[in-house]
Amino acid sequence: MGRPPCCEKVGLKKGPWTPQEDHKLLAYIEQYGPGSWSALPAEAGLQRCGKSCRLRWKNYLRPDIKRGKFSLQEEQTIIQLHALLGNRWSIIAAHLSKRTDNDIKNHWNTHLKKRLTKMGIDPVTHKQKSHALSPDQLKDAANLKHMAQWEGARLEAEARLIREPKLQVPNPFQTQLDSLGSAELVYEATTTGPLPPLPLQPICLDVLTAWKGSWLKAPKYNDFAVRTFAATSSSLDFLTSSLDFSKKGEACMIMKAGADLEIPTNDFQDPKERMDIELLQLQGLGCSTDDDFMATGNETILLPNFMEAGFGDMLFDNSNQLYPSITGGNSGIVAGTCCSNLEENKNYWNSIVNLVNCSPSGSPVF
DNA sequence: AAATCACTCAACCGCCCATAT
DNA sequence: AATATGGGCGGTTGAGTGATT
């Protein structure tokens, strides 16, 4: 048993809040801010426990709360994040601006969970319930879990940063590259000879980062590619990656350059130049056609066609490596057995989106 | 019009974890 | 190092409300 609930203290009120109590709490927080919740009730003249005050503020009185009906986009996001994170409502809420975790949890339990169940989808695993899985499907499931773990970890880290904006997470990869000296990182197309020692792999929370890490580890790339990569990846946190479903209606990966990009060399400061270098990297991976990627503004979008061949090969091999190896020749990419698995996984992600798109709230089906 | 059912969501409870003593 | 305390989280409850019979 844990310690006894704080609200068992004699004389403290429970149950619904009155407008007068709301006013007292609001007035106090507006004047002094939400300091110590345990001390707040007495100072604000409330016969409530601190926990109750905190909850009332967090879930109802806070000015930046969005209430009311959830949009299609919000429902889609909740389902996608729940597939990755499970019932980690606070993290999910961090990615849905202005919605409280309680609100999202309620909406999930009263709407989305039932909707998935009626569609024959297990709301816990996000899988079709009815049929037994073949060995290939089991492999797909393991691969998807692998992918989900990475993306889930990234989302969790992002949520943490949102909650704690002052927290700066050191990038070990950055540190290692810095230790090599910037001169070693500058792109020199004509350079030949031995490469500088490759940095150790970072602890990776990002699909894109993992992908880049695997590329860097691959032994077959030429000097040009590795040095370009090293120069442009030395500040990995200027890029973010995410799965996206809005492009061509299929799962794509989006790489986006942050606004406050800093590169530790004097080169590549221009956004256009940076994006060009990214494209060089993609070309180094064998990504060369319009069917492989789209580059618009500060985004590079990896299309399913390329993800099948490259991204999928990395993510969906059966090793336990954090950075699965890329196989193949000069391009480093071989479209092999992974493709069928990827097709299944793409279908899975697309099916989640379709569930929402085809079954909006209020639909008579539900 | 009254009774019953189904649903929503604000609020509480118990537990975990980080920090202070 | 051990204990106490406070904040935060996820699970659950139950009063209120609208729909249906």
Side-chain angles (χ1 to χ4, degrees):
Chain A
M1 288 292 288
R3 63 200 174 99
C6 58
C7 297
E8 282 181 3
K9 291 169 189 167
V10 179
L12 293 187
K13 188 165 178 265
K14 288 163 67 172
W17 281 64
T18 65
Q20 290 75 24
E21 288 177 311
D22 282 346
H23 180 74
K24 281 183 181 176
L25 181 56
L26 260 178
Y28 182 88
I29 291 178
E30 278 174 7
Q31 189 168 358
Y32 302 106
S36 165
W37 290 111
S38 58
L40 185 148
E43 292 174 12
L46 287 162
Q47 297 295 105
R48 293 271 183 178
C49 76
K51 257 187 171 181
S52 182
C53 295
R54 177 186 155 271
L55 213 62
R56 183 65 177 170
W57 167 255
K58 183 167 168 279
N59 288 337
Y60 198 84
L61 295 177
R62 218 163 22 113
D64 59 336
I65 289 179
K66 181 181 177 185
R67 315 186 67 81
K69 190 175 166 62
F70 279 72
S71 70
L72 204 62
Q73 178 63 45
E74 285 175 317
E75 291 186 329
Q76 180 177 316
T77 302
I78 291 170
I79 292 175
Q80 288 168 7
L81 291 176
H82 188 272
L84 292 169
L85 298 163
N87 296 354
R88 299 161 85 175
W89 306 116
S90 62
I91 299 171
I92 293 173
H95 288 82
L96 278 162
S97 63
K98 300 185 178 180
R99 293 288 188 182
T100 70
D101 50 2
N102 207 38
D103 210 15
I104 292 168
K105 178 172 62 181
N106 282 333
H107 191 67
W108 171 263
N109 286 327
T110 57
H111 293 103
L112 302 180
K113 199 160 110 178
K114 291 175 186 173
R115 192 179 302 167
L116 289 176
T117 301
K118 286 185 178 179
M119 295 293 289
I121 305 282
D122 185 333
V124 177
T125 63
H126 291 256
K127 298 286 183 195
Q128 286 285 349
K129 279 178 175 175
S130 53
H131 58 283
L133 296 177
S134 68
D136 279 351
Q137 287 170 321
L138 286 171
K139 183 181 170 188
D140 291 341
N143 288 334
L144 178 61
K145 185 181 175 187
H146 188 182
M147 181 177 175
Q149 283 173 338
W150 283 10
E151 192 65 4
R154 187 181 71 78
L155 292 166
E156 185 173 353
E158 282 183 11
R160 196 176 300 124
L161 287 171
I162 290 167
R163 285 198 301 268
E164 306 167 53
K166 290 177 184 174
L167 179 65
Q168 294 297 317
V169 179
N171 182 341
F173 191 49
Q174 171 71 67
T175 305
Q176 291 155 3
L177 281 167
D178 284 347
S179 71
L180 292 174
S182 58
E184 291 293 316
L185 302 176
V186 177
Y187 157 55
E188 296 172 277
T190 57
T191 299
T192 57
L195 296 171
L198 296 180
L200 299 172
Q201 301 295 348
I203 296 168
C204 182
L205 296 179
D206 188 312
V207 170
L208 171 64
T209 311
W211 178 34
K212 286 184 172 181
S214 70
W215 185 47
L216 187 58
K217 196 173 71 174
K220 298 183 179 179
Y221 298 113
N222 59 31
D223 194 14
F224 170 92
V226 170
R227 285 174 180 274
T228 302
F229 172 83
T232 56
S233 298
S234 53
S235 180
L236 283 171
D237 53 358
F238 79 81
L239 286 174
T240 61
S241 70
S242 59
L243 291 174
D244 187 270
F245 301 85
S246 60
K247 311 286 190 257
K248 295 195 172 185
E250 295 184 88
C252 306
M253 184 169 79
I254 298 211
M255 306 193 317
K256 186 180 288 188
D260 53 350
L261 169 61
E262 287 182 18
I263 304 243
T265 73
N266 290 328
D267 298 324
F268 316 125
Q269 293 295 327
D270 176 67
K272 171 73 167 58
E273 209 176 339
R274 289 196 293 272
M275 193 50 65
D276 288 343
I277 289 161
E278 279 188 61
L279 297 183
L280 281 175
Q281 293 180 12
L282 296 176
Q283 286 159 6
L285 285 167
C287 174
S288 57
T289 74
D290 288 344
D291 290 330
D292 288 336
F293 65 88
M294 301 192 310
T296 57
N298 68 340
E299 282 184 353
T300 296
I301 302 160
L302 302 186
L303 300 176
N305 180 53
F306 178 63
M307 289 175 70
E308 282 185 14
F311 184 52
D313 192 33
M314 184 202 78
L315 281 176
F316 299 135
D317 78 2
N318 282 332
S319 75
N320 292 322
Q321 302 283 323
L322 182 59
Y323 304 100
S325 60
I326 291 177
T327 58
N330 197 35
S331 73
I333 302 299
V334 168
T337 55
C338 63
C339 293
S340 61
N341 299 333
L342 251 295
E343 193 61 35
E344 293 288 333
N345 285 303
K346 276 163 50 189
N347 290 340
Y348 168 72
W349 289 104
N350 290 333
S351 73
I352 291 179
V353 179
N354 290 337
L355 276 176
V356 180
N357 290 341
C358 299
S359 309
S361 295
S363 162
V365 174
F366 304 107

